[in-house]
Every structure is written in structure tokens, then in C-alpha cells.
């Protein structure tokens, strides 16, 4: 009936697309820009799960509440302390980058969350999260997580050349963007190299770390590669445009999916948002960082981006601007069209 409020039978956590990130040290700004890119383009409601050091919690709360209400109504957020349920907490905390191993414990901590997208702080969404969220429906009956390959070309991939431990497939996988069915992870007995019977996710983590700790270089990502080496049927591999890194263009363009569709998720690892080694990545980061929320997307985001890209054409990544611009242009057109339709609908007179 007109004016009657609709009530969904689903609890809010099921209506949400759940996004988790782990932020320690100096990663406050980077995390906020990542969350901003998620909110700018997504359609469905978002639930942010932010794992952060105690000193960062007040800043996250303050900054997120400063965003305009037209955007804050699109998400809810929870901030959690850094905790490790098994093994030595200090050992986990120092594994690779500060607190990065926290992601391994998400299935244990977020017991009421069915599915989740985990991303590193240095990720930027160039299209709605809704689109990667749909990949969950493509999982077959044994798949419980999705990641992109660490590299497309084995002869120049890190794992295929240097790894001293088991890893998934021919080039390993990169854990900076990881889609997870947490319910399946919690309910699965995983094959492993330590005992003939299966182990639960939580049972497996610390013994696995103890066994391989002298051989791992990339911390928790290496542990995930070891897990899925022994359980390859559990992993869905999504294409490189969903986790596009400098490696995909700094040695020549080697992500065919991005050439065809454009970059969907940009992953600025190697610190490229904060130095001048990959100005194309830095340009995208700075334009999203500086975008005023209520401004026109084309005028205040897309056009400045095009202008900044002109200064990067002398670099290998800068020579292929269409790879970076194609998807974000398409996304902004959709956002604009949706807003026009909503505006016209609200103001239509019969």
C-alpha cells in the first residue's frame, strides 16, 4: 500500500555484502580510500568488518561518520581488535606485514557471517562489489573460496621460480582479493600434509605454519597456497582483472581479461600508491582520494583521471590507459543512469 514500509524476512546481515579488511600501522588512509571506492559504486547495502589496532579505532569511527548521509546510509560497519584464536599471537602478528595473518582467522571470528569478500588495504574497486559478489553463485559444490592467480606467466611468476613450499596450480594464487563462503570453510575437513585424516580450518592453521615457517616468504598468502595445493577442488580461480597488480603491466601487458573488459579491482601492492614507480596506479588512488562525495562523477573523478593519465604515457602501465579506464567509465555511466532514473521517478507527475 502507498506509504507502507516494506519489511524483509531476511536479517540485515543476509541483505549485506560483507567486506573485511585488516588495518595496522600507517594503513588508515589507504583503508578509507578502499572503503570509499566500495561505497561510490556499489548497489546493494554493504557491511564493513574492519580489523584494526586499538589506536586506529577512534579515527576510523570519526572519519566514516563524517561522510555524507547519502553514502553512510549505504553501509554499516563494525571495528574489531586484532585477535588470533590459536598459536602464538605475537608470532602471527609479525608474519609478513603487521596483522596480515588476521585474515586467516576470519571464518573463526565472524561466526554469524555466511559469505565474505576480504581485500587488502591497497585495493580499489572500479566497479560495484555486487559484480564480484555474484561469483559466489558460480561456486560448485566443493568450492569455498575464490582468488586470482599470482601471475599469468609461469616463467616470470614468483612461486614457479622461487617457492620452497607447495603452492596452488602453476603460478600460485594472490590473496589480496579473496571471496569466501565462510559457512563451507567452517564445515569442511581439509586434506593436509600432517596427518591422514582431515582437519578443520582452525585446527590446521598453527600446525601448518609450524611445519612450513622456515620456507614461507609471503606469510599468510603462502599458507593459503599450501592449503589449496592439498585441496584444489575447494578453490574457484577468478580472472586477473579482479586483482590487477603492477605485475600485470610493468613487464608488458599480460592480463587479457583487463584488456578486454578493463580493470575491475585494482591492487596497488609494492606501495605504488605512495611512490612514483607506477604513476598510473598512483593517479587512480589520488583521484578517488580527492573526489568530493557529492560532486559529479564524470566532472570530478573521470576527467581528472584522464588528465593525470596523460602524464603517465611514458611508462609501461601508462601506455594502456584504456585498460584502467574502460570499466570505471562503464561503472560511472551506470551510476549516473541509475540516479537519473531515480530522480525522474521521484519527480514524475501523472
Amino acid at each position: 500500500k502507498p506509504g507502507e514500509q516494506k519489511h524483509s524476512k531476511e536479517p540485515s546481515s543476509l541483505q549485506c555484502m560483507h567486506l573485511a579488511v585488516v588495518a595496522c600501522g600507517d594503513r588508515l588512509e589507504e583503508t578509507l580510500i578502499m572503503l570509499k571506492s566500495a561505497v561510490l559504486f556499489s548497489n546493494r547495502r554493504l557491511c564493513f568488518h574492519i580489523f584494526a589496532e586499538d589506536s586506529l579505532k577512534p579515527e576510523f569511527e570519526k572519519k566514516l561518520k563524517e561522510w555524507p548521509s547519502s553514502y553512510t546510509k549505504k553501509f554499516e560497519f563494525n571495528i574489531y581488535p586484532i585477535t588470533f584464536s590459536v598459536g602464538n599471537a605475537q608470532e602471527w602478528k609479525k608474519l609478513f606485514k603487521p596483522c596480515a595473518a588476521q585474515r586467516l582467522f576470519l571464518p573463526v571470528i565472524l561466526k554469524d557471517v555466511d559469505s565474505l569478500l576480504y581485500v587488502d588495504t591497497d585495493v580499489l574497486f572500479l566497479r560495484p562489489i555486487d559484480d564480484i559478489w555474484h561469483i559466489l553463485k558460480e561456486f560448485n559444490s566443493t568450492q569455498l573460496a575464490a582468488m586470482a592467480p599470482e601471475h599469468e606467466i609461469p616463467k616470470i611468476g614468483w612461486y614457479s621460480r622461487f617457492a620452497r613450499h607447495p603452492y596452488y596450480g602453476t603460478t600460485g594464487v594472490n590473496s589480496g582479493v579473496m571471496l569466501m563462503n565462510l559457512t563451507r570453510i567452517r564445515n569442511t575437513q581439509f586434506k593436509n600434509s600432517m596427518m591422514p585424516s582431515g582437519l578443520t580450518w582452525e585446527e590446521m592453521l598453527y600446525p601448518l605454519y609450524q611445519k612450513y615457517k622456515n620456507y614461507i616468504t609471503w606469510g599468510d598468502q603462502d599458507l593459503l597456497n599450501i592449503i589449496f595445493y592439498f585441496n584444489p577442488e575447494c578453490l574457484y580461480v577468478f580472472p586477473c582483472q579482479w586483482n590487477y597488480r603492477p605485475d600485470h603491466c610493468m613487464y608488458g601487458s599480460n592480463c587479457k581479461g583487463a584488456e578486454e573488459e578493463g580493470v575491475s579491482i585494482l591492487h596497488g601492492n609494492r606501495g605504488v600508491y605512495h611512490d612514483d614507480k607506477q604513476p598510473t596506479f598512483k593517479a587512480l588512488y589520488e583521484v578517488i582520494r580527492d573526489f568530493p562525495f557529492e560532486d559529479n562523477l564524470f566532472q570530478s573523478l573521470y576527467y581528472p583521471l584522464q588528465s593525470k593519465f596523460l602524464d603517465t604515457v611514458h611508462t609501461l602501465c601508462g601506455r594502456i590507459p584504456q585498460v584502467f579506464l574502460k570499466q570505471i567509465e562503464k561503472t560511472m555511466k551506470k551510476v549516473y543512469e541509475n540516479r537519473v532514473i531515480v530522480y525522474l521517478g521521484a519527480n514524475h507527475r501523472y
Side-chain angles (χ1 to χ4, degrees):
K1 294 178 184 177
E4 187 174 275
Q5 190 173 1
K6 289 184 180 179
H7 293 278
S8 171
K9 292 180 182 177
E10 287 186 301
S12 95
S13 66
L14 288 178
Q15 297 170 2
C16 267
M17 297 181 293
H18 293 268
L19 179 68
V21 64
V22 179
C24 287
D26 59 356
R27 298 302 181 104
L28 175 75
E29 183 194 74
E30 215 173 63
T31 306
L32 288 166
I33 307 310
M34 179 277 290
L35 296 174
K36 183 179 183 181
S37 72
V39 170
L40 280 178
F41 302 131
S42 291
N43 301 312
R44 274 178 62 188
R45 186 170 178 77
L46 293 160
C47 287
F48 296 147
H49 302 275
I50 303 166
F51 291 80
E53 290 173 309
D54 294 342
S55 59
L56 295 179
K57 183 179 178 182
E59 277 299 299
F60 271 117
E61 289 179 336
K62 177 175 175 253
K63 297 288 185 184
L64 289 170
K65 287 173 182 174
E66 285 174 356
W67 290 1
S69 60
S70 56
Y71 286 94
T72 55
K73 69 183 182 185
K74 292 176 67 177
F75 68 90
E76 56 193 71
F77 69 92
N78 283 299
I79 302 173
Y80 308 80
I82 303 295
T83 54
F84 304 100
S85 61
V86 293
N88 183 310
Q90 285 308 308
E91 218 173 350
W92 283 120
K93 194 167 184 179
K94 291 173 184 173
L95 182 63
F96 192 45
K97 291 183 181 172
C99 309
Q102 182 71 77
R103 88 181 88 185
L104 296 171
F105 294 87
L106 298 179
V108 181
I109 298 167
L110 300 174
K111 292 185 189 305
D112 297 327
V113 176
D114 175 64
S115 294
L116 178 81
L117 177 64
Y118 165 86
V119 295
D120 285 348
T121 60
D122 52 9
V123 153
L124 292 171
F125 294 94
L126 305 188
R127 67 190 287 180
I129 291 184
D130 310 59
D131 297 338
I132 192 169
W133 195 255
H134 289 151
I135 291 175
L136 286 163
K137 293 180 179 175
E138 297 177 22
F139 283 13
N140 65 25
S141 60
T142 62
Q143 289 166 337
L144 45 76
M147 288 184 274
E150 172 63 21
H151 216 287
E152 308 309 303
I153 305 167
K155 67 180 180 183
I156 56 174
W158 193 90
Y159 284 108
S160 42
R161 289 186 295 160
F162 304 119
R164 296 191 294 151
H165 59 76
Y167 57 89
Y168 178 88
T170 55
T171 61
V173 282
N174 183 282
S175 60
V177 179
M178 185 176 179
L179 192 61
M180 292 180 269
N181 184 317
L182 298 184
T183 302
R184 286 188 181 183
I185 290 174
R186 287 188 285 263
N187 294 337
T188 296
Q189 294 283 317
F190 290 88
K191 298 189 289 292
N192 61 87
S193 60
M194 296 164 291
M195 55 192 302
S197 60
L199 292 170
T200 67
W201 185 266
E202 189 175 18
E203 289 169 342
M204 180 174 53
L205 290 178
Y206 195 60
L208 201 66
Y209 167 66
Q210 286 296 319
K211 179 170 181 176
Y212 291 103
K213 66 179 180 181
N214 294 327
Y215 304 101
I216 59 179
T217 302
W218 307 112
D220 48 307
Q221 177 173 291
D222 289 351
L223 288 177
L224 290 166
N225 267 282
I226 295 164
I227 290 169
F228 290 111
Y229 168 84
F230 290 106
N231 300 270
E233 73 285 355
C234 294
L235 191 66
Y236 178 107
V237 179
F238 49 64
C240 48
Q241 64 264 32
W242 292 104
N243 186 347
Y244 191 90
R245 284 157 277 129
D247 283 5
H248 288 118
C249 53
M250 61 193 281
Y251 306 117
S253 184
N254 58 50
C255 176
K256 292 287 181 279
E259 289 173 18
E260 292 164 9
E261 294 182 24
V263 174
S264 297
I265 294 179
L266 194 75
H267 184 182
N269 63 346
R270 304 175 185 267
V272 294
Y273 297 148
H274 312 293
D275 61 31
D276 296 316
K277 291 177 183 173
Q278 298 297 338
T280 316
F281 282 75
K282 188 178 182 181
L284 262 160
Y285 178 81
E286 289 180 344
V287 165
I288 293 175
R289 180 195 66 194
D290 298 340
F291 172 69
F293 272 105
E294 303 288 17
D295 275 21
N296 178 285
L297 278 168
F298 277 101
Q299 190 175 327
S300 299
L301 198 153
Y302 187 70
Y303 296 139
L305 193 56
Q306 281 185 314
S307 176
K308 274 181 178 276
F309 272 17
L310 289 174
D311 298 328
T312 74
V313 292
H314 62 286
T315 68
L316 277 168
C317 294
R319 289 178 194 174
I320 46 171
Q322 71 283 359
V323 166
F324 294 88
L325 293 170
K326 189 181 290 188
Q327 193 58 240
I328 197 168
E329 181 181 9
K330 188 175 169 185
T331 298
M332 286 194 288
K333 279 181 178 173
K334 277 187 183 173
V335 171
Y336 178 74
E337 286 165 6
N338 289 343
R339 285 181 184 168
V340 168
I341 289 165
V342 168
Y343 177 79
L344 288 175
N347 291 277
H348 194 69
R349 295 287 180 270
Y350 289 97

